[in-house]
Amino acid sequence: MARTKFIVVMGSIMSGLGKGILSSSIARLLKKRGYKVLPFKFDGYLNVDCGTMNPFRHGEVFVLDDGSEVDMDFGTYERFLNQSLTGKSSITGGKIFKKVIEKERRGDYLGRDVQFVPHLTDEIKCWVKCVAEEEKADIVLIEVGGTVGDLENGYFIEAMRQLGHELGKDLLFIQLTFVPTLGKGELKTKPTQHANRLIQSMGIRPEIVICRGDEPLTKESKEKISLYCNVPLENVLDDPFVQTVYQLPEMLEKQNLYEVLANRLELRKDAVEESDWEKLVGRIIKPNVELRVGVVGKYTSVSDAYVSIKEALVHSGAVVGAHVRMDFVESTDIEEKGVKELEKYDAIIVPGGFGKRGTEGKIKAIQHCRENGVPYLGLCLGMQLMVVEYARNACGLKGANSTEMEKDTPHPVIDILPEQVSIIEKGATMRLGAYPCILKEGTKAFELYGEKNISERHRHRYEVNPNYAGKLEEGGLIISGLSPKNSIVEMCEWKDGFGVGTQAHPELKSRLEAPAPLFVGLLKAALKRKKKD
Ligand code: GLN
């Protein structure tokens, strides 16, 4: 394709409408036609990245191969595109202001007063255009975080207005909106009309309006939106409720969204990509069996904190034909009430986490799994606590712990990584991103991955203390994966039953078309055990 095309998605009226899922679905429709799609996410907050944000407030911190800590929407893009992204796709207020202020300090602005327009907006446009060129993108898909009218994202929207002015027909705006229902099925389009006017007052005319709501749009409401928002009727679309988010690309396609985009941006119409996507979606919608998985952690009132685990269970569920019902179990409850609550689960996961609170409950849950043959998967902290449990209860190392939880433990089986000792700053300083791991032949991990050399994403400061690795192995713990460079224990497992721990976060790379092997292994083991009962 000759020139790169740009699509900008903006949310109106309120947050939480699913801009990320909509943008990812559009990206998927484009990829299906063989286009190289490059997603961008703009986030107005002044944090440089998501690494310092509490997942309890903001949702999961997603980690990319290059170690960038980004918004959880990146997980959605990667899962829908089956493609790994880089941190360059994430532009935050913090990053862009930092750039401008650094330039100012260097004297790059030659005595000028530094302003939002043109300096900040130029920086945003330049970033997007440069990365698009570097990546040789056919189509750039930009999601503007937040809601139109927010103070935070105003400069991003202004930058997009300018970009639209520069690019003319090669850029298109999409408005995502909310159409509420009042009383019995009466759809209200007025908020959308007002929001659309607000966007137009910023010098932007959205060409497609996509509507979320409790009810599907009626012909009447579509006509109203078309008339008041200045768009053809066929450019007003429903963003319907779906059983699984992976259905959305097809739902949009059925409403001819791709046709509209193709006509407007002069794109090819034939699908070229071969994929099992539809078949897999079919398996999600019509599962053969239900499995219950308990995720023992904290932050349990915010399910977004564990969104990649939830999705990895959907992907692996599609492989084994199971619907996975995932329940959050507050680990402090186990400390108070014991493990009885866990008996109903077919498998248990202890996810990543930080700090002492709830760890003893997690350790009890792991012990329950090991002693009762319940399939267990430990992710990062979940692996570290699996080692602590094993050290205490199987190797007789009384009082063993991680030094993150107890500085003066008699047996520091988990300890801080040597290179982390002197680090004080919190932002982007953990062991982050993709690291290789060599799996030991004959282990469950090796069998599941089907190869020796693997790579998974990381986000941690602590590791299995190398001085204890020998003792743990003598006690019967299998160390199934090591990092090639400095022999960090990357994976371990129990001899009996299914119990695997990984220092990495394999959930971050799980995709519908490429499910995480350890999750598939967990569900297969859960299914086998369920059939026996
Ligand atoms: N707190 C542990 C560490 O820093 C585990 C981190 C995690 O689970 N992501 O090593």
Side-chain angles (χ1 to χ4, degrees):
M1 193 165 63
R3 294 184 313 269
T4 306
K5 313 282 168 141
F6 292 74
I7 298 172
V8 181
V9 178
M10 296 187 295
S12 63
I13 302 180
M14 62 188 198
S15 61
L17 294 180
K19 268 194 310 293
I21 292 166
L22 173 67
S23 306
S24 302
S25 299
I26 296 171
R28 171 136 197 96
L29 296 183
L30 299 165
K31 190 188 173 213
K32 203 166 145 183
R33 273 77 186 184
Y35 287 118
K36 173 146 196 215
V37 187
L38 174 67
F40 276 95
K41 170 93 196 278
F42 296 164
D43 279 301
Y45 43 71
L46 295 177
N47 302 63
V48 171
D49 60 39
C50 283
T52 51
M53 289 188 193
N54 183 348
F56 179 64
R57 291 174 61 105
H58 190 77
E60 171 181 88
V61 179
F62 198 77
V63 182
L64 302 174
D65 281 340
D66 65 9
S68 301
E69 297 172 289
V70 290
D71 185 272
M72 61 177 199
D73 275 342
F74 280 85
T76 317
Y77 298 136
E78 289 198 341
R79 289 189 281 268
F80 274 67
L81 285 170
N82 192 14
Q83 166 186 325
S84 294
L85 302 173
T86 73
K88 289 180 190 159
S89 282
S90 163
I91 312 186
T92 64
K95 275 190 199 172
I96 209 86
F97 276 97
K98 192 165 172 253
K99 237 181 158 166
V100 170
I101 290 168
E102 276 166 8
K103 272 191 172 178
E104 187 276 333
R105 291 290 81 186
R106 276 202 307 267
D108 290 4
Y109 296 110
L110 305 172
R112 272 206 58 169
D113 49 336
V114 183
Q115 296 182 304
F116 276 62
V117 181
H119 302 107
L120 202 69
T121 48
D122 276 356
E123 208 62 61
I124 296 167
K125 286 185 288 178
C126 176
W127 185 323
V128 169
K129 286 191 285 190
C130 289
V131 179
E133 210 181 301
E134 239 174 72
E135 300 276 322
K136 297 189 177 55
D138 295 320
I139 302 169
V140 170
L141 198 122
I142 298 165
E143 178 193 345
V144 182
T147 309
V148 176
D150 289 349
L151 188 61
E152 281 86 356
N153 60 15
Y155 53 91
F156 281 121
I157 294 177
E158 167 58 16
M160 291 304 97
R161 183 197 66 75
Q162 294 173 19
L163 193 63
H165 175 65
E166 275 172 38
L167 298 174
K169 284 204 86 57
D170 290 336
L171 187 144
L172 163 119
F173 286 100
I174 296 179
Q175 175 188 358
L176 175 63
T177 184
F178 180 61
V179 180
T181 311
L182 199 64
K184 264 210 173 104
E186 200 190 334
L187 291 174
K188 291 299 193 188
T189 63
K190 192 77 62 145
T192 296
Q193 297 172 31
H194 282 295
N196 187 270
R197 274 193 203 162
L198 177 64
I199 301 174
Q200 297 210 39
S201 75
M202 297 168 172
I204 289 170
R205 194 172 66 80
E207 293 183 57
I208 298 173
V209 180
I210 300 185
C211 309
R212 275 293 294 273
D214 299 324
E215 306 275 339
L217 290 176
T218 57
K219 190 164 171 283
E220 244 187 350
S221 50
K222 269 192 188 173
E223 282 167 356
K224 264 196 196 161
I225 293 172
S226 156
L227 177 68
Y228 285 99
C229 300
N230 261 332
V231 294
L233 193 60
E234 62 270 23
N235 291 21
V236 183
L237 274 79
D238 245 323
D239 182 348
F241 276 109
V242 278
Q243 203 178 321
T244 161
V245 290
Y246 301 107
Q247 278 175 294
L248 191 58
E250 197 192 337
M251 296 290 180
L252 296 170
E253 198 156 24
K254 276 193 183 143
Q255 299 177 74
N256 293 327
L257 176 62
Y258 187 75
E259 284 280 313
V260 171
L261 289 171
N263 289 338
R264 169 60 181 77
L265 294 171
E266 297 173 354
L267 308 175
R268 73 174 80 91
K269 300 223 171 140
D270 302 332
V272 296
E273 188 202 63
E274 301 238 342
S275 159
D276 285 339
W277 187 276
E278 271 85 28
K279 204 169 84 197
L280 292 165
V281 169
R283 288 219 209 138
I284 297 174
I285 299 168
K286 289 202 187 82
N288 302 323
V289 57
E290 181 175 273
L291 289 173
R292 292 191 74 175
V293 176
V295 176
V296 181
K298 49 182 189 178
Y299 306 135
T300 46
S301 59
V302 173
S303 59
D304 273 355
Y306 298 127
V307 62
S308 289
I309 295 177
K310 191 171 139 239
E311 294 305 319
L313 287 171
V314 173
H315 307 155
S316 45
V319 176
V320 303
H323 167 70
V324 181
R325 187 172 147 188
M326 173 175 135
D327 286 349
F328 297 111
V329 184
E330 176 62 57
S331 46
T332 46
D333 285 352
I334 298 177
E335 287 171 13
E336 282 158 29
K337 298 178 211 148
V339 292
K340 186 109 190 77
E341 173 69 7
L342 299 179
E343 280 168 14
K344 56 180 180 278
Y345 296 115
D346 301 307
I348 298 283
I349 292 175
V350 172
F354 296 83
K356 188 173 164 65
R357 186 170 75 82
T359 49
E360 288 304 319
K362 293 175 192 175
I363 292 168
K364 272 194 188 147
I366 298 167
Q367 183 178 8
H368 161 79
C369 291
R370 192 173 57 80
E371 289 175 353
N372 297 289
V374 182
Y376 171 72
L377 178 59
L379 306 169
C380 203
L381 180 68
M383 179 196 94
Q384 296 174 357
L385 297 180
M386 176 180 172
V387 169
V388 171
E389 190 282 325
Y390 201 87
R392 285 184 193 174
N393 303 324
C395 302
L397 299 171
K398 238 176 125 207
N401 212 335
S402 162
T403 51
E404 182 183 3
M405 319 307 162
E406 199 185 331
K407 271 213 150 26
D408 305 318
T409 163
H411 295 293
V413 288
I414 305 294
D415 202 5
I416 192 149
L417 285 156
E419 68 270 23
Q420 287 284 331
V421 176
S422 57
I423 294 174
I424 302 163
E425 272 200 27
K426 288 276 187 280
T429 54
M430 286 189 238
R431 181 171 181 251
L432 287 167
Y435 281 95
C437 159
I438 302 175
L439 296 176
K440 200 186 278 168
E441 278 176 54
T443 59
K444 285 187 196 84
F446 178 80
E447 186 191 320
L448 288 167
Y449 277 90
E451 57 191 320
K452 225 173 143 169
N453 296 300
I454 62 158
S455 167
E456 292 287 4
R457 294 177 182 173
H458 293 69
R459 185 173 190 258
H460 65 118
R461 294 187 204 282
Y462 290 79
E463 63 163 339
V464 174
N465 186 341
N467 300 333
Y468 277 92
K471 274 204 188 80
L472 291 161
E473 278 186 309
E474 275 163 34
L477 188 71
I478 298 168
I479 292 180
S480 38
L482 289 173
S483 72
K485 217 175 96 202
N486 35 8
S487 295
I488 293 174
V489 174
E490 290 283 357
M491 233 178 270
C492 64
E493 52 193 71
W494 297 327
K495 268 203 181 83
D496 303 318
F498 186 94
V500 178
T502 165
Q503 187 56 79
H505 288 275
E507 70 275 19
L508 299 177
K509 272 192 11 185
S510 182
R511 311 201 175 137
L512 184 58
E513 295 158 293
L518 295 185
F519 281 78
V520 176
L522 179 79
L523 293 192
K524 278 189 176 158
L527 213 56
K528 204 166 138 196
R529 181 166 170 269
K530 197 180 167 93
K531 276 187 189 147
K532 255 197 237 150
D533 289 348

